[in-house]
Amino acid sequence: MAIKTISIVHHVHTDFGYTDHPQRTKKEHVKYIDMAADYVLKSSDYPEGAKFAWTQEQLYPVRQWWHRASDKQKEKFFAAVNTGRLEITGTAFNVTAFLDKDEWDRVMNWIPDELWDKCSIRSVMQIDVNGMHTYGMEAAYDKGVRNLFIGPNSYYGAPPMPTPTAFNWKIAPDKNMFVWLNSSYNNGTFMFNKNWREGPVPDYSDMRYRKPEAGDIWACDDASLEEAHRLCLQNIAMIEGTVDAEVAETDGFTKNRVFGGYELSVLPVSVTSQWRVDNDPPFYPLVDFVKAWNEKGYEPRLVLATATQAMEMVKEELGDNIKTYSGEWIDWWANGNASAPVEMSINREAKRLLKVAKSPVFGPMTEEQKKDYTEALENVCMYDEHCFSSWQSVSNPYSFANISQVAEKNIYTYRALDSAKCLIADRVRPLADAEKNKIIIWNPTEFSMCRTIELPLGCMRGNYRSVICEETGESFTLEYIDGIANFLRPASESEFGEENVSHTFSDKCERQAVRFGSVVIPPQSCLHFIPKEDECENSGKLNEEVQIEVDSSGWPCKVEFPRDGAPVIDGIFGDLLSVEADGFSPRWTLKDIFENDNAEERKALRKEHLKEVRAVYGPTRRIQAGDEIRFEQLIMHRSIKFGKRILSINPAVSHVKLEFRMNRISSFEPSVMFLEFEAPGSRNLPHVSNAGKLFIPEKEQLPGSCMDFYAIDGWMHYDSNWFMNCRDNALVTFGNTSVVSRKTETEGPANDIYVRLYDNIWDTNFGANASGQMSFTFQAQADVALDDAKEVAEAISVDPIIVVKTGYGQKNAQ
């Protein structure tokens, strides 16, 4: 037996929700900090190795505790920290794959620097989630962190390599992060104990299910110790590969894709409690178990250790004999986020607008605005924490536990978007206070904008026919267009559009908005437009060429701007399809396929049990909208009540925009919905980015990490210089749909792009049914340099900021 020491890392897995309402879990995690400090100090007279040790998994509760703690509590806390047996780790919470750079910079600065330094933070933990960002680890590295303890849950996931193991992760050319890749989490409990937790996941208020006490688990009597030793030796045999894993699993071992072959003498393991496993308090009787075990002389020896102490023991034994890997660690759980496409879109908009709010074009922020910005950014961050709903999200979706947790989760992103919008208004309004009878338009990005400007008629407050730009002298005719009339009783059914679900107020009324442009706005600047009552001599129309070919339904299948020398569309651009499973309980069909470890059998099962359902399309309507050419087409699919795609072609910037709208029919049946695109001119995988870090899928990702889909910042860039940006949803697959595929290489042409709009295949934590209206926008260009991709994506994703100060002196507003 190679293993001589087992380092037990005791912590609580931090879920903001899942077991209880997030409000309750946050309160409990604050309590646990005081409990852990007490236990550390209380056990000071125990033998070395048996003294209580606790690792605080995440920082969010630490900041809450810090703001509430008395001087006496803080004194006790630092006394425990100074023993070396109370460790504080460095991330605010367990993260999803969708944090951007600004979020990571906030997450790694969640507590004051003074507190960070006093806690001597050296490690971070990522528990449950199956991946991690290289940028996030760079941000941690720059704060002095050198270790990552990760316990990926094998539920709809898989570790990138056999577990348990250690390696160096090259996160940047001159930066390595030591990684302990644990066999999931709480594996240490099952090294020594049979499962104690019974029934469902009881919430905090459910007094029918008690917490485990001394003797329930980690019992110290002779018979219990002997049984624990027997279980431990069989687990070690499985880990070292001297017993068949399938045989071992029948004896109550945790199923965490342990493959055998472990050769080190020290083995770190993770331990939480057995009340609910997640969000459970520290379990003090561990000290008596470890003391009694070691006094019996059992091997391996047990040591209660913090995460950093356990990892340092491994590093010391490995020395220079440690493997190094590089690349993005792609998360298997990212598809769960797509169960809430509306909220994902809102959160992405909030992130964009917070970047806008920081733009120097609006001048410096006040101290109050800085506070508003930070609060909004933290709400964005909290939406990207890994808990989305209750453990009953599918089994009992209408339960109070589930609907209340979903509401609490979603409020983060709703608040963030509202705060971002209002912060921009607070920054911009004073800049236009002195203006009268002008329309002021800002470009807050680093790239030029070219936009058709549309404004509601009511904000104009005058009978205007044109506008003239003060800065350029360019004039534009105002085009009056149909639109929504607020609170207007309809005269007939013809005043209802396809997306008017309530059929109460008109949304197809004449002269409800005005339009002009295209307008080119230089980066980080603003233009002033003066409204005029007379027609202008120069309409501002652009005469750029574009070549368009359409398919049999009239939908563009090829679009090329001659000056680019390559098509921006050449083939499929926005086709809707879904992937669905058969069986009387199709979520089990999907899970059975995913959990089959034989690749050929998985492939055969997918072919047998999964089917693609493609949409059919109505006739296409072509519209001239200012300088833009628009194509509109209705879409029919059995999962949606209404669907439409709108392609806008802007010759001024060789740019196309696709807006896809659908009203999903309420259904709890699992379904994965995609839009399909073909990237012209290249057969290689594109460059993408996550939290600003550039990488090529498959080629530049951590070996063994997820290839079924990729969470990206939004844009992708092919070596033909073809570029596409996903504004509202950024979960993409290349080659084929890859539902429950667990593929190890791209299957199909690398220029076939499948954007995952909606995915409700999970049976816990993520939503089971998102219905109603949803909208997704995509932009593409044929000639964008890779170095410009990020800035172009930001510029085309953001709308210009507009202040209308017209109607002064007008008596008869129209």
Side-chain angles (χ1 to χ4, degrees), residues 25 35 76 324 334 428 473 478 636 726:
T25 62
M35 292 173 64
K76 185 182 292 185
T324 298
V428 173
L478 291 180
M636 284 68 73
C726 310

Side-chain angles (χ1 to χ4, degrees), residues 741-806:
S741 176
R742 286 175 58 192
K743 64 185 181 184
T744 56
E745 61 182 3
T746 302
E747 300 168 351
N751 66 328
D752 283 358
I753 304 162
Y754 295 84
V755 180
R756 196 169 292 227
L757 304 179
Y758 179 69
D759 186 332
N760 69 335
I761 71 172
W762 273 77
D763 54 45
T764 188
N765 188 51
F766 297 107
N769 179 19
S771 60
Q773 293 185 338
M774 308 170 188
S775 179
F776 308 88
T777 298
F778 307 87
Q779 299 115 333
Q781 291 182 217
D783 189 19
V784 174
L786 178 59
D787 290 343
D788 294 333
K790 175 178 177 292
E791 288 75 17
V792 170
E794 290 180 357
I796 63 178
S797 295
V798 170
D799 292 325
I801 306 301
I802 303 174
V803 174
V804 179
K805 298 289 291 290
T806 60

Side-chain angles (χ1 to χ4, degrees), residues 32 102 108-109 133 239 263 366 490 555 560-561 618 646 687 719 723 729 745 776 789 791 794:
Y32 299 163
D102 291 342
M108 291 310 306
N109 289 278
H133 307 236
I239 291 166
E263 297 178 345
T366 66
W555 183 254
E560 184 171 352
F561 303 97
I646 304 169
H687 281 89
D719 56 15
F723 160 96
N729 185 302
E745 61 182 3
F776 308 88
E791 288 75 17
E794 290 180 357

Side-chain angles (χ1 to χ4, degrees), residues 43 100 150 177 204 337 411 515:
S43 64
D100 67 13
I150 184 166
M177 185 70 70
Y204 178 87
N337 292 55
I411 204 71
R515 177 166 61 202

